[in-house]
mmCIF file of all heavy atoms in Angstrom:
data_model
loop_
_atom_site.group_PDB
_atom_site.id
_atom_site.type_symbol
_atom_site.label_atom_id
_atom_site.label_comp_id
_atom_site.label_asym_id
_atom_site.label_seq_id
_atom_site.Cartn_x
_atom_site.Cartn_y
_atom_site.Cartn_z
ATOM 1 N N TYR A 35 -2.835 1.615 6.886
ATOM 2 C CA TYR A 35 -2.413 0.252 6.600
ATOM 3 C C TYR A 35 -1.340 -0.143 7.604
ATOM 4 O O TYR A 35 -0.685 0.707 8.226
ATOM 5 C CB TYR A 35 -1.822 0.139 5.179
ATOM 6 C CG TYR A 35 -2.839 0.161 4.067
ATOM 7 C CD1 TYR A 35 -3.287 1.371 3.537
ATOM 8 C CD2 TYR A 35 -3.348 -1.017 3.541
ATOM 9 C CE1 TYR A 35 -4.218 1.393 2.506
ATOM 10 C CE2 TYR A 35 -4.283 -1.007 2.507
ATOM 11 C CZ TYR A 35 -4.711 0.195 2.003
ATOM 12 O OH TYR A 35 -5.631 0.219 0.975
ATOM 13 N N GLN A 37 2.113 -2.756 7.950
ATOM 14 C CA GLN A 37 3.067 -3.597 7.225
ATOM 15 C C GLN A 37 3.961 -4.289 8.237
ATOM 16 O O GLN A 37 4.791 -3.649 8.875
ATOM 17 C CB GLN A 37 3.901 -2.748 6.251
ATOM 18 C CG GLN A 37 4.837 -3.553 5.378
ATOM 19 C CD GLN A 37 5.565 -2.688 4.359
ATOM 20 O OE1 GLN A 37 5.668 -1.466 4.504
ATOM 21 N NE2 GLN A 37 6.068 -3.299 3.300
ATOM 22 N N PHE A 45 -4.870 -3.738 5.331
ATOM 23 C CA PHE A 45 -5.773 -2.608 5.485
ATOM 24 C C PHE A 45 -6.323 -2.553 6.903
ATOM 25 O O PHE A 45 -6.696 -3.580 7.481
ATOM 26 C CB PHE A 45 -6.928 -2.732 4.489
ATOM 27 C CG PHE A 45 -8.077 -1.791 4.754
ATOM 28 C CD1 PHE A 45 -7.985 -0.455 4.389
ATOM 29 C CD2 PHE A 45 -9.230 -2.232 5.389
ATOM 30 C CE1 PHE A 45 -9.036 0.413 4.632
ATOM 31 C CE2 PHE A 45 -10.282 -1.374 5.631
ATOM 32 C CZ PHE A 45 -10.183 -0.043 5.256
ATOM 33 N N ASP A 56 -15.461 2.264 6.576
ATOM 34 C CA ASP A 56 -14.952 0.889 6.619
ATOM 35 C C ASP A 56 -13.879 0.779 7.693
ATOM 36 O O ASP A 56 -12.770 1.298 7.528
ATOM 37 C CB ASP A 56 -14.398 0.495 5.239
ATOM 38 C CG ASP A 56 -14.075 -0.993 5.133
ATOM 39 O OD1 ASP A 56 -13.953 -1.667 6.173
ATOM 40 O OD2 ASP A 56 -13.935 -1.476 3.992
ATOM 41 N N GLY A 100 -10.974 4.442 -4.211
ATOM 42 C CA GLY A 100 -9.866 3.518 -4.393
ATOM 43 C C GLY A 100 -9.172 3.629 -5.728
ATOM 44 O O GLY A 100 -8.033 3.197 -5.868
ATOM 45 N N TRP A 101 -9.846 4.229 -6.739
ATOM 46 C CA TRP A 101 -9.213 4.264 -8.053
ATOM 47 C C TRP A 101 -8.307 5.449 -8.263
ATOM 48 O O TRP A 101 -7.604 5.519 -9.267
ATOM 49 C CB TRP A 101 -10.273 4.225 -9.158
ATOM 50 C CG TRP A 101 -11.393 5.172 -8.926
ATOM 51 C CD1 TRP A 101 -11.433 6.500 -9.179
ATOM 52 C CD2 TRP A 101 -12.663 4.842 -8.348
ATOM 53 N NE1 TRP A 101 -12.628 7.019 -8.796
ATOM 54 C CE2 TRP A 101 -13.410 6.036 -8.302
ATOM 55 C CE3 TRP A 101 -13.233 3.656 -7.879
ATOM 56 C CZ2 TRP A 101 -14.705 6.060 -7.788
ATOM 57 C CZ3 TRP A 101 -14.514 3.694 -7.377
ATOM 58 C CH2 TRP A 101 -15.233 4.885 -7.334
ATOM 59 N N LEU A 104 -2.926 6.649 -4.384
ATOM 60 C CA LEU A 104 -2.690 6.972 -2.993
ATOM 61 C C LEU A 104 -1.299 7.574 -2.835
ATOM 62 O O LEU A 104 -0.341 7.140 -3.474
ATOM 63 C CB LEU A 104 -2.786 5.721 -2.123
ATOM 64 C CG LEU A 104 -4.097 4.953 -2.131
ATOM 65 C CD1 LEU A 104 -4.049 3.819 -1.107
ATOM 66 C CD2 LEU A 104 -5.267 5.866 -1.857
ATOM 67 N N PHE B 34 -3.457 -1.815 -9.789
ATOM 68 C CA PHE B 34 -2.390 -0.851 -9.530
ATOM 69 C C PHE B 34 -1.067 -1.580 -9.285
ATOM 70 O O PHE B 34 -1.035 -2.730 -8.864
ATOM 71 C CB PHE B 34 -2.700 -0.038 -8.265
ATOM 72 C CG PHE B 34 -3.869 0.897 -8.375
ATOM 73 C CD1 PHE B 34 -5.166 0.408 -8.384
ATOM 74 C CD2 PHE B 34 -3.662 2.268 -8.450
ATOM 75 C CE1 PHE B 34 -6.247 1.262 -8.483
ATOM 76 C CE2 PHE B 34 -4.743 3.132 -8.536
ATOM 77 C CZ PHE B 34 -6.031 2.630 -8.559
ATOM 78 N N TYR B 36 2.507 -0.457 -7.058
ATOM 79 C CA TYR B 36 3.225 0.482 -6.217
ATOM 80 C C TYR B 36 4.614 -0.076 -5.966
ATOM 81 O O TYR B 36 4.829 -1.289 -5.997
ATOM 82 C CB TYR B 36 2.508 0.682 -4.868
ATOM 83 C CG TYR B 36 1.312 1.592 -4.936
ATOM 84 C CD1 TYR B 36 0.089 1.132 -5.410
ATOM 85 C CD2 TYR B 36 1.411 2.928 -4.535
ATOM 86 C CE1 TYR B 36 -1.004 1.980 -5.483
ATOM 87 C CE2 TYR B 36 0.320 3.776 -4.605
ATOM 88 C CZ TYR B 36 -0.880 3.295 -5.088
ATOM 89 O OH TYR B 36 -1.969 4.140 -5.158
ATOM 90 N N GLN B 38 8.154 0.273 -3.320
ATOM 91 C CA GLN B 38 8.697 0.773 -2.048
ATOM 92 C C GLN B 38 10.216 0.637 -2.106
ATOM 93 O O GLN B 38 10.756 -0.479 -2.010
ATOM 94 C CB GLN B 38 8.129 -0.035 -0.880
ATOM 95 C CG GLN B 38 8.474 0.515 0.484
ATOM 96 C CD GLN B 38 7.748 -0.224 1.590
ATOM 97 O OE1 GLN B 38 7.573 -1.447 1.522
ATOM 98 N NE2 GLN B 38 7.300 0.486 2.606
ATOM 99 N N LYS B 49 -1.573 2.448 -13.115
ATOM 100 C CA LYS B 49 -2.859 1.828 -12.838
ATOM 101 C C LYS B 49 -3.577 1.487 -14.135
ATOM 102 O O LYS B 49 -3.345 2.122 -15.184
ATOM 103 C CB LYS B 49 -3.747 2.725 -11.977
ATOM 104 C CG LYS B 49 -4.215 4.000 -12.672
ATOM 105 C CD LYS B 49 -5.129 4.818 -11.751
ATOM 106 C CE LYS B 49 -5.570 6.113 -12.425
ATOM 107 N NZ LYS B 49 -6.430 6.934 -11.519
ATOM 108 N N LYS B 98 -11.412 0.523 -1.354
ATOM 109 C CA LYS B 98 -10.054 0.618 -0.823
ATOM 110 C C LYS B 98 -9.176 -0.340 -1.606
ATOM 111 O O LYS B 98 -9.650 -1.196 -2.328
ATOM 112 C CB LYS B 98 -10.037 0.248 0.659
ATOM 113 C CG LYS B 98 -10.495 -1.201 0.912
ATOM 114 C CD LYS B 98 -10.703 -1.452 2.354
ATOM 115 C CE LYS B 98 -11.103 -2.906 2.600
ATOM 116 N NZ LYS B 98 -12.501 -3.166 2.212
ATOM 117 N N LEU B 99 -7.866 -0.167 -1.459
ATOM 118 C CA LEU B 99 -6.931 -1.032 -2.154
ATOM 119 C C LEU B 99 -6.580 -2.248 -1.305
ATOM 120 O O LEU B 99 -6.264 -2.118 -0.124
ATOM 121 C CB LEU B 99 -5.647 -0.281 -2.482
ATOM 122 C CG LEU B 99 -5.652 0.647 -3.701
ATOM 123 C CD1 LEU B 99 -4.263 1.240 -3.918
ATOM 124 C CD2 LEU B 99 -6.112 -0.065 -4.950
#
Side-chain angles (χ1 to χ4, degrees):
Chain A
Y35 285 86
Q37 185 176 20
F45 167 78
D56 190 342
W101 47 81
L104 301 185
Chain B
F34 292 73
Y36 282 79
Q38 188 173 38
K49 67 178 178 182
K98 62 190 182 285
L99 280 183

